[in-house]
C-alpha cells in the first residue's frame, strides 16, 4: 500500500487514487505532420523506467485533480509530488 | 546426456542413487557465439533448444542474470490453454498447446503436463455473449471449446456456489478440456538439460550491462562476466525488456507491473479443472500435492518491486471465497510476485528490431507461460532465418506503427 502525497489534500492511501502513467508526454502540436512511426512513438512507446520515474496520478476519491509524483519504481519510495505543468 | 527411464531409475536405486550427473553443465562464457540469448527463462531456453535441435545452430549461449528458472517461469500459476479469440493468438497458442502435448517425451523430462481442463465462468448476460462468441471463434480455428450450462458446471465443480443468490451468479461457462497445468520449474529444467545436451552453453550469474553495435549491426554484449561477441542476439526477458532495449537505443511499447500469486496449505483433492473468472479476476487450480494455487491481477502502477500491494490480493481472495465458500478457512502458505511486461494490446512482441541482428521476444504480459514451447519454436525460426515464421509475423514490433494491433485485452479469456 502506497501513501500518496496529494499536493492539495496531503498524504492519503493509494486506494483513493488512480495511476496515470509516465509524466511529461506531450501531445504533438501538429499531429498531421507526423509519420506513422512518430505517432506510434507518442501513443505507445514508453521509457518504463527502472528507478526514479516522474508519473501522473489523479486523486479520484478526493479532490479529483491530476498531479505529478516522483517515485522510485524499484523501492516504491516517493521522493516528491508537485502540481501539473511544472516541468523539471 | 544421461537418458532418464524406468530401468535407469531402478539401476540407480540399486546402487544407492549414486552416479546421477548434473542435468546441465555450469558453462563459462566463451568470447564469441553465433547466437546469444539473453534470458534463461522458459522462452529463452526453449529458443536455444529449438535452434540447436531444428536449425543446427549449436554455437549458442543463454545468459541468465540470476539462476535458471528464477524469473517468471517459476512465478506463474502454470496454466496452459489456447482458447484465444483472435486468429493470430489462437494459432500461436494452439501450436504451443500441441507442443505441450508431446513435451515430456520430446525432452525426456517429465514436465507433469496435466490436461485437466480449463473452465471459464460467465457471471452476466454480457459475459455469456462474449464466451459464446469465443467458443465459436475457437471452433473455427480447430480449437476444442465447449459452452457449458450452470447445471453442467455444478456437476463438474460441485464446490462452486452455483446458486441463484450467489454474490457472483454463474450463468454458464466455457471448457477447454485439453487445457490444464504443467510443472513450471520442470519446463525450465527440461529445456535447459535438452539444450545443454545439444551443446548450448547455459551461463548463469551473467548480467548484460551493455549492447555494442558496429555499423548499425549488433556486435557484442557487455556482461558482468566480460564481453561476449555475437552474430545475432535475442532478448528473451520479462520484467526488464525496456531496460535491455534501452541499451540498444530502442523504445518499447511496454509497461512493467507486479503480478501476484499465492499458494495455500495442502488439501484433499477437491478441485479437478482449472477455474477462471475474468469478471472478478480469479484463477485457481489444485496441485498434485493438494495446494491451491491462486493468481491475482496486476497492480495498476508500473513497478519493478517484485512485491505488489495487499489490496490486490484481498480483492482476489474475497472473490475466490464468494465463488468457493468451502475455501473460506484455508490458510495461505506463500505469496510472491513477478514483474510482467504488458503491451498496449496485451500481445507479445516476437521479431526483428531496427538494429540488424538484434531480435526481441518479450512483452508476454500476464500470460506467457502457456506459450513457452511455441514461443521458443517460432523465435528459433526467426533467429535462424533472420525473419519471422508466419505464426509470429503478426506479432512484430512494427505493428504499433502499422496500427495492426492484436487486441487481446478482454478478447482472450483474460485472467491469465
Amino acid at each position: 500500500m502506497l501513501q500518496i502525497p496529494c499536493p492539495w489534500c496531503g498524504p492519503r492511501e493509494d486506494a483513493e487514487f488512480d495511476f496515470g502513467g509516465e509524466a511529461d508526454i506531450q501531445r504533438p502540436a501538429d499531429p498531421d505532420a507526423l509519420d506513422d512511426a512518430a505517432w506510434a512513438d507518442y501513443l505507445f512507446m514508453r521509457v518504463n523506467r527502472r528507478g526514479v520515474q516522474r508519473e501522473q496520478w489523479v486523486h479520484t476519491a478526493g479532490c479529483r485533480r491530476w498531479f505529478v509524483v516522483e517515485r522510485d519504481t524499484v523501492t516504491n519510495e516517493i521522493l516528491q509530488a508537485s502540481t501539473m505543468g511544472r516541468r523539471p | 546426456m544421461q537418458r532418464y527411464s524406468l530401468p535407469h531409475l531402478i539401476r540407480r536405486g540399486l546402487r544407492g542413487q549414486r552416479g546421477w550427473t548434473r542435468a546441465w553443465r555450469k558453462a563459462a562464457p566463451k568470447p564469441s557465439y553465433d547466437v546469444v540469448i539473453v534470458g534463461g527463462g522458459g522462452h529463452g531456453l526453449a529458443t536455444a533448444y529449438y535452434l540447436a535441435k531444428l536449425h543446427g545452430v549449436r554455437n549458442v549461449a543463454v545468459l541468465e542474470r540470476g539462476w535458471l528458472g528464477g524469473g517468471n517461469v517459476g512465478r506463474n500459476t502454470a496454466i496452459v490453454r489456447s482458447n484465444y479469440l483472435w486468429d493470430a493468438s489462437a494459432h500461436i497458442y494452439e501450436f504451443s498447446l500441441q507442443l505441450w502435448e508431446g513435451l515430456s517425451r520430446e525432452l525426456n523430462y517429465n514436465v507433469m503436463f496435466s490436461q485437466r481442463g480449463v473452465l471459464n465462468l460467465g457471471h452476466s448476460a454480457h459475459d455469456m455473449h462474449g464466451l459464446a462468441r469465443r467458443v465459436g471463434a475457437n471452433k473455427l480455428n480447430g480449437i476444442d471449446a465447449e459452452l457449458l450450462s450452470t447445471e453442467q458446471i455444478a456437476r463438474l465443480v460441485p464446490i462452486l456456489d452455483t446458486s441463484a443468490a450467489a454474490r457472483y451468479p454463474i450463468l454458464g461457462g466455457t471448457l477447454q478440456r485439453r487445457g490444464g497445468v504443467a510443472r513450471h520449474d520442470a519446463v525450465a529444467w527440461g529445456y535447459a538439460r535438452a539444450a545443454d545436451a545439444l551443446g548450448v552453453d547455459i551461463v548463469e550469474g551473467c548480467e548484460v550491462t551493455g549492447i555494442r553495435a558496429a555499423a548499425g549491426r549488433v556486435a557484442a554484449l557487455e556482461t558482468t562476466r566480460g564481453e561476449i561477441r555475437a552474430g545475432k542476439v535475442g532478448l528473451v526477458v520479462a520484467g526488464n525488456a525496456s531496460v535491455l532495449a534501452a541499451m540498444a537505443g530502442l523504445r518499447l511499447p511496454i509497461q512493467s507491473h507486479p503480478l501476484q500469486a499465492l499458494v495455500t496449505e495442502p488439501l484433499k483433492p477437491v478441485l479437478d479443472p482449472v477455474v477462471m473468472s475474468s469478471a472478478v479476476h480469479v484463477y485457481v487450480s489444485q496441485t498434485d500435492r493438494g495446494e491451491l494455487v491462486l493468481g491475482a491481477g496486476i497492480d495498476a502502477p508500473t513497478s519493478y518491486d517484485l512485491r505488489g500491494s495487499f489490496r490486490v490480493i484481498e480483492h482476489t481472495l474475497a472473490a475466490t471465497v464468494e465463488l468457493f465458500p468451502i475455501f473460506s478457512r484455508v490458510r495461505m502458505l506463500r505469496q510472491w510476485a513477478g514483474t510482467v511486461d504488458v503491451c498496449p494490446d496485451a500481445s507479445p512482441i516476437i521479431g526483428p528490431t531496427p538494429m540488424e541482428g538484434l531480435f526481441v521476444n518479450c512483452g508476454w504480459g500476464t500470460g506467457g507461460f502457456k506459450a513457452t514451447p511455441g514461443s521458443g519454436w517460432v523465435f528459433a525460426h526467426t533467429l535462424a532465418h533472420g525473419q519471422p515464421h508466419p505464426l509470429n509475423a503478426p506479432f512484430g514490433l512494427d505493428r504499433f506503427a502499422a496500427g495492426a494491433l492484436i487486441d487481446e485485452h478482454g478478447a482472450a479469456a483474460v485472467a491469465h
Side-chain angles (χ1 to χ4, degrees), chain A residues 1-2 13-17 19 21-22 36-37 40-51 53 55 57 71-76, chain B residues 65 239-240 242-243 251-257 300-311 341 344 397 399-403 405:
Chain A
M1 183 79 71
L2 298 176
E13 68 178 55
D14 68 356
E16 295 185 13
F17 298 83
F19 180 68
E22 289 174 28
D36 289 348
D41 191 80
Y42 158 68
L43 274 187
F44 299 125
M45 304 300 163
R46 296 291 179 265
V47 177
N48 194 23
R49 191 177 305 285
R50 185 186 175 95
Q53 165 171 275
E55 59 193 24
W57 287 82
R71 178 177 60 103
D72 188 319
T73 58
V74 179
T75 62
N76 274 333
Chain B
R65 177 177 72 161
N240 284 294
S242 304
V243 177
R251 275 157 64 82
L252 295 178
I254 282 177
Q255 302 196 61
S256 302
H257 300 264
T302 57
S303 178
Y304 295 87
D305 74 347
L306 278 177
R307 216 165 35 186
S309 67
F310 184 73
R311 187 153 48 83
D341 289 346
L397 184 56
R399 75 174 183 269
F400 296 96
L405 303 190

Side-chain angles (χ1 to χ4, degrees), chain B residues 10 33 88 96 99 112 117 135 164-165 191 212 224 284 290 333 339 363 376 387:
Chain B
I10 293 168
Y33 291 94
S96 198
L99 291 177
M112 296 169 73
V135 164
Y191 271 118
R212 203 160 55 71
T224 50
V284 55
L333 285 190
T339 306
Q387 55 188 14

Side-chain angles (χ1 to χ4, degrees), chain B residues 370-387:
Chain B
K370 67 177 83 68
T372 304
S375 159
W377 195 97
V378 298
F379 198 51
H381 181 281
T382 306
L383 283 163
H385 296 272
Q387 55 188 14

Side-chain angles (χ1 to χ4, degrees), chain A residues 60-75:
Chain A
T60 315
C63 63
R64 304 185 63 192
R65 289 207 254 195
W66 286 91
F67 56 96
V68 174
V69 169
E70 279 183 27
R71 178 177 60 103
D72 188 319
T73 58
V74 179
T75 62

Side-chain angles (χ1 to χ4, degrees), chain B residues 121-123 128 149-150 153 160-163 166 168-173 323:
Chain B
L121 303 176
H123 303 290
M128 292 312 298
S149 66
T150 308
I153 290 172
L160 271 171
D161 183 358
T162 49
S163 67
Y168 303 114
I170 294 168
L171 303 190
L323 290 173

